[in-house]
């Protein structure tokens, strides 16, 4: 069981990375998608992610992550911008880290484990930057573990461990093929990420990099 | 303490003793604590189909119920009065251990403190109770407690369980000598029958071997030179077989040594992995503790619940606390949120709490270094894990090879035996008309078995006849018991059923042994199976049967006893609630101690019982709500609980 700071940390890290990578702001769904991709591929970073996502109509979902931005806003670590209240009273907003939030991230990253987590989130978001936010939203939907769950119509937590992690299996097949047929050797986690996202996003209308 | 907030002292009075509380407050745990004090982890024979020795209270029953800090403190002291003797025993709840044992003697009234090792104390406690209660063994005592004196929520019925009932009634009523010879004879019947059948099997085997031998002999029409040649072949093959078997046996011996050393190695690996795990666990604990300190001033400023309340207020205009809803509330929420005011006390919230950066820095360093050690240990554990897996698979492979070789040896050995038999037979053929020595030997063996079988079956039949005789005597005893039991049973059962009810005696045979038992009859219908009464009737008729049995026993043996009933009112309607209460009161009136547990609810059952407890129920009622921990659900219904308590004349929470 992972404790409350872990969710808050991850969302705050994503906001921090967004700022550094020049993303304007993150919407609620972005957190779910980005952190899901981080979790699905965390094997590359040699770490266990620690919490699950469920298979829902709207993509991979974790309820703690969905409320974390509000909590961060309340703690003044993040601010909500472009707030619109919809007809069903739901609030739509994008979020951005405040100075206090960034200061906190730097403090939390004194813990080496959190530092590694921040670095991983930064790497994943960094590679995603090339494809733009639209692709980011769609990627999680065609991500193989999630797709398998959907196809088999299985409810509950998306199984990301060991043999059940289809994402890592696919990535392994891809990198093996590169090595075998073209003698291309990928040596860093980031190079694996590039291969993976590039392969997955080939059918999605990608935008020009900024 | 983890079980209750403070120590509970409870004196069991003659008559009704009530333990009341709510769900999960610890009624059953208290009852089981009493039983544990009484019998510890002693076992009794559970007579359902297959005989099984089971403990009344499982060894780990209290493990999940005690916090680590309380494990050594938790104990129960029970004082048992038998006649004028008093035995006081204190047991630790976490591990099966007697801490103190005192015996106050009836005659001299002096208190003897018995000392010794825990095992010695247990042995002496059991002997003491056996002697005082006049029971053959302590297991019999546990059997009576388990099957007669507790009526727990598993609701095992005694009235319709011939075997348990038979055993119980025999324990309570049949003279010891008669009962002992009954048991001895039953064992004798079974043993002689089994032995006889085994011998018959042996005889059958020899007979078929002879038949096969005769057939083979009839088929043969051999010339002397063929015989010679065959004998030579057999000798050659026997030689080969001897060598092969020798070689294989040597290999098997070696393989066994290998397996053992591999197992030894695995054990060492396991031990070392355990050592690492032992080092790792406190580090993880420490890490968690430090991390919570680290995050203390980062995220602690606002609890999650606060944020959820505020968000509901702002987004939906809903107060999650009192469920008021409206536009104004939404406006209020927005005002508070934008003004940075607390929704509870309207004070401005200070977000600029000091960060204690220095403190965080050193905390962070400490966490990092612990984390590093943990990661190193994790790597070591992974290495060990791999070595353990390799060792395990090596052992499996070696064991398979070993099994295969053992199988080969057995096959070769069978072949050798058959060849040797054949060789003897061939040699015998040349002894002219002399009878075959192997055949003679087999025939002698059959004759011997014939005699033995006859003797065994004669013994069995004798024992059976005696058993029938004794059973007749036991039946007589049971009939007289039944005569006194029926009016008592009818008295209790009719309180509940509202109609007369009697007990019918019946006999049936179980595994060749006669078993006598009783079952109820009411509304002009015999009910030999519990399916012939409704579910709620079943429980209370059984209860009446138990009460009758206890009542009869205490009347004939002059003494006191107790019984425990757990939440008896469950699944009863209004009318029967009152009748059941009457039944218990009737039993209590006769001076028996009943410990009944009940939930504080809206049923009339408690009210009915309290009406008869008199103006001062105190002392006979243990209100566990005052001792246990209420859940948040119960906490929110405090008002309802207090209403019920007031109705029962008990102090509020």
């Amino acid at each position: 069981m992972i404790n409350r700071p872990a969710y808050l940390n991850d969302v705050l890290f994503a906001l921090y990375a967004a700022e550094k990578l020049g993303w304007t702001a993150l919407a609620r769904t972005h957190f779910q998608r980005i952190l899901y991709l981080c979790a699905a591929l965390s094997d590359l970073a040699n770490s266990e992610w620690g919490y699950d996502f469920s298979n829902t109509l709207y993509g991979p979902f974790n309820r703690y992550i969905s409320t974390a931005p509000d909590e961060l806003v309340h703690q003044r670590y993040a601010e909500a911008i472009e707030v619109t209240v919809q007809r069903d009273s739901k609030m739509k907003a994008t979020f951005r880290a405040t100075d206090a939030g960034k200061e906190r991230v730097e403090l939390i990253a004194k813990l080496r484990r959190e530092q590694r987590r921040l670095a991983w989130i930064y790497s994943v978001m960094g590679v995603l930057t090339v494809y733009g936010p639209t692709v980011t939203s769609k990627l999680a939907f065609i991500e193989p573990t999630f797709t398998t769950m959907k196809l088999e119509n299985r409810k509950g937590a998306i199984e990301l461990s060991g043999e059940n992690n289809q994402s890592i299996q696919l990535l392994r097949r891809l990198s093996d093929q590169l090595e075998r047929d073209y003698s291309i050797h990928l040596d860093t986690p980031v190079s694996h990420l590039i291969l993976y996202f590039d392969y997955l996003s080939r059918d999605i209308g990608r935008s020009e990099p900024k | 303490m983890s079980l209750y907030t403070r120590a509970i002292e409870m004196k069991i009075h003659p008559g009704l003793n009530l333990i009341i509380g709510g769900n999960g407050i610890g009624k059953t745990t208290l009852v089981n604590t009493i039983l544990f004090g009484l019998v510890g982890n002693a076992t009794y024979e559970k007579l359902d189909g297959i005989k099984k020795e089971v403990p009344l209270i499982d060894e780990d029953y209290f493990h999940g119920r005690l916090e680590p800090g309380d494990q050594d403190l938790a104990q129960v002291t029970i004082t048992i009065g038998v006649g004028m003797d008093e035995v006081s025993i204190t047991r630790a709840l976490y591990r099966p251990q007697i801490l103190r044992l005192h015996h106050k003697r009836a005659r001299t009234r002096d208190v003897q403190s018995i000392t010794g090792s825990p095992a010695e104390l247990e042995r002496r406690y059991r002997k003491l109770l056996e002697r005082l209660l006049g029971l053959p063994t302590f297991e019999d005592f546990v059997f009576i407690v388990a099957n007669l004196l507790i009526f727990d929520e598993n609701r095992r019925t005694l009235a319709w369980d011939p075997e348990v009932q038979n055993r119980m009634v025999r324990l309570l009523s049949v003279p010891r000598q008669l009962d002992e010879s009954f048991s001895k004879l039953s064992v004798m019947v079974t043993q002689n029958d089994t032995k006889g059948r085994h011998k018959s099997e042996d005889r059958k085997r020899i007979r078929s071997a002879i038949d096969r031998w005769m057939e083979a002999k009839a088929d043969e029409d051999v010339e002397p030179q063929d015989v010679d040649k065959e004998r030579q072949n057999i000798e050659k093959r026997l030689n080969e077989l001897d060598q092969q078997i020798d070689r294989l046996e040597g290999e098997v011996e070696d393989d066994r040594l290998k397996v053992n050393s591999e197992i030894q190695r695995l054990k060492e690996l396991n031990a070392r992995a355990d050592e690492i795990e032992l080092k790792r666990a406190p580090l993880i604990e420490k890490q968690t503790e430090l991390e919570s300190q680290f995050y203390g001033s980062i995220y602690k400023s606002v609890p999650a619940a606060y944020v959820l309340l505020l968000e509901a207020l702002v987004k939906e205009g809903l107060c999650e606390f009192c469920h008021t809803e409206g536009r104004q509330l939404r406006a209020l929420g927005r005002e508070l949120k934008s003004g940075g005011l607390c929704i509870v006390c309207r004070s401005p919230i200070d977000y600029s709490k000091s960060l204690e950066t220095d403190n965080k820095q050193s905390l962070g360093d400490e966490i990092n270094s612990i984390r590093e050690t943990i990661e190193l240990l994790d790597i070591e554990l992974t290495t060990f894990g791999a070595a353990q897996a390799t060792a395990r698979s090596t052992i499996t492979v070696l064991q398979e090879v070993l099994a295969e070789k053992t199988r080969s040896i057995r096959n070769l050995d069978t072949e050798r035996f058959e060849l040797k038999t054949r060789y003897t037979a061939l040699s015998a053929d040349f002894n002219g008309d002399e009878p075959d020595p192997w055949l003679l030997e087999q025939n002698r063996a059959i004759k011997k078995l014939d005699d033995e079988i006859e003797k065994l079956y004669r013994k069995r039949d004798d024992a059976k006849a005696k058993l029938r005789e004794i059973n007749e005597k036991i039946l007589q005893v049971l009939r007289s018991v039944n005569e006194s039991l029926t009016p008592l049973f009818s008295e209790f059962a009719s309180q509940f059923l509202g109609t007369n009810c009697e007990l019918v005696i019946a006999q049936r045979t179980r595994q060749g042994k006669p078993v006598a038992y009783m079952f109820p009859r009411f509304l002009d219908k015999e009910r030999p199976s519990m399916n012939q009464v409704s579910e709620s009737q079943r429980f209370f008729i059984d209860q009446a049967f138990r009460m009758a049995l206890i009542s009869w026993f205490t009347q004939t043996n002059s003494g006191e006893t107790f019984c425990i009933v757990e939440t008896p009112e469950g699944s009863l309607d209004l009318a029967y609630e009152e009748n059941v209460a009457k039944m218990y009161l009737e039993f209590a009136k006769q001076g028996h101690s009943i410990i009944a547990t009940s939930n504080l609810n809206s049923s009339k059952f408690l009210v009915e019982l309290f009406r008869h407890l008199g103006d001062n129920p105190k002392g006979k009622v243990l209100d566990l709500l005052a001792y246990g921990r209420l859940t948040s659900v119960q906490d929110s219904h405090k008002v309802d609980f207090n209403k019920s308590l007031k109705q029962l004349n008990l102090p509020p929470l």
Side-chain angles (χ1 to χ4, degrees), chain A residues 9 77 110 112-113 116, chain B residues 291 295 298 368 372 375:
Chain A
N9 283 353
Y77 295 160
K110 298 235 182 300
R112 225 160 289 141
R113 190 169 52 159
R116 287 199 291 249
Chain B
E291 272 181 353
Y295 284 114
I298 296 185
N368 283 338
E372 230 164 70
E375 275 166 15

Side-chain angles (χ1 to χ4, degrees), chain A residues 36-37 41 128 131 135 138-145 147 167 170-171 174 193-206:
Chain A
Y36 173 71
L37 289 170
L41 296 166
L128 286 173
Y131 302 103
V135 174
K138 289 181 186 165
L139 268 185
F141 272 101
I142 51 168
E143 197 281 328
T145 316
T147 320
S167 325
L170 168 67
L171 182 54
L174 289 174
L193 279 179
I194 294 172
L195 166 69
Y196 186 72
F197 289 148
D198 204 65
Y199 177 84
L200 277 195
S201 66
R202 70 205 186 285
D203 294 331
I204 307 174
R206 353 182 204 198

